[in-house]
């Protein structure tokens, strides 16, 4: 056999080895994370629920999902162990960064437009004018022609098309 015919197989086997190696590393890191869980830490389950670890057993974990509400989960169902700052930010809405910066989010978008209150804004008058009522609308002639056809009995029937 020639080396060129074996080369694609060698590359394929090498790629499979690298993919399984990285998958094994990820699995080992996840298992280590789950084994390092301590009571009192915040976790996120693979279903997206946030809870606090109360007890850790061999294959199960007792989680407090709400004050006074406990549930038993398999260790494999823990998706991530969160540090205290991230858990408090997500669950309790505590944002330490905003408190440190003093950044305030406005309640409305008026402060985001960049215009000050001193500038007088021209307002559009949406009220109807009396002079506009006296003027004849543009389509008045067309309406009169249709009325004249109806009076002569030349109105269209179901099969007739609109043509101009």
């Amino acid at each position: 056999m020639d080396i060129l015919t074996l080369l694609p197989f060698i590359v394929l086997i090498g790629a499979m080895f690298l993919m399984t190696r990285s998958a094994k590393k990820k699995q080992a890191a996840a298992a280590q994370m789950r084994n390092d869980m301590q009571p009192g830490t915040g976790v996120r389950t693979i279903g997206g629920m946030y809870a606090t670890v109360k007890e850790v057993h061999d294959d199960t974990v007792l989680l407090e999902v709400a004050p006074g509400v406990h549930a038993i989960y398999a260790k494999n169902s823990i998706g991530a162990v969160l540090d205290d700052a991230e858990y408090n930010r997500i669950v309790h809405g505590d944002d330490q960064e905003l408190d440190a910066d003093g950044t305030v989010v406005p309640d409305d978008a008026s402060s985001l437009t960049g215009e000050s209150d001193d500038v007088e804004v021209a307002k559009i008058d949406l009220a109807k004018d009396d002079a506009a009522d006296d003027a004849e609308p543009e389509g008045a002639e067309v309406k009169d022609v249709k009325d004249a056809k109806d009076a002569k009995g030349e109105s269209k029937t179901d099969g007739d098309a609109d043509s101009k």
Side-chain angles (χ1 to χ4, degrees):
M1 288 197 132
D2 191 15
I3 189 77
L4 291 176
T5 56
L6 292 176
L7 188 63
F9 295 111
I10 294 170
V11 170
L12 183 63
I13 291 170
M16 290 174 53
F17 173 74
L18 291 175
M19 287 191 305
T20 56
R21 185 173 163 226
S22 66
K24 284 182 182 179
K25 281 186 177 180
K26 287 180 183 178
Q27 287 177 349
Q32 183 65 31
M33 172 205 54
R34 290 181 185 117
N35 289 333
D36 291 344
M37 279 189 300
Q38 298 295 324
T41 59
V43 295
R44 181 181 64 235
T45 65
I46 58 174
M49 183 180 65
Y50 293 92
T52 305
V53 176
K54 288 298 177 186
E55 295 177 9
V56 180
H57 301 287
D58 292 335
D59 294 331
T60 60
V61 179
L62 180 67
L63 300 178
E64 184 177 29
V65 295
V69 179
H70 297 89
I72 298 174
Y73 280 81
K75 271 191 178 180
N76 292 343
S77 67
I78 304 300
V81 177
L82 307 172
D83 59 345
D84 290 336
E86 184 179 5
Y87 181 77
N88 288 332
R89 180 183 61 81
I90 294 170
V91 175
H92 302 296
D94 297 343
D95 201 355
Q96 303 274 337
E97 296 171 4
L98 284 181
D99 294 341
D101 293 343
T103 307
V104 177
V105 178
D107 289 339
D108 59 352
S110 64
S111 63
L112 301 175
T113 58
E115 296 177 8
S116 65
D117 294 336
D118 298 337
V119 178
E120 186 174 322
V121 179
K123 302 221 182 218
I124 299 173
D125 186 20
L126 298 176
K128 215 174 183 186
D129 288 339
D130 292 335
D133 290 339
D134 296 338
E136 190 171 312
E138 294 177 18
E141 295 174 10
V142 176
K143 186 177 178 183
D144 292 339
V145 172
K146 286 182 183 177
D147 290 340
K149 283 186 179 180
D150 288 340
K152 292 181 184 177
E154 297 178 8
S155 64
K156 66 179 183 177
T157 59
D158 289 338
D160 293 342
D162 288 332
S163 60
K164 291 187 178 188

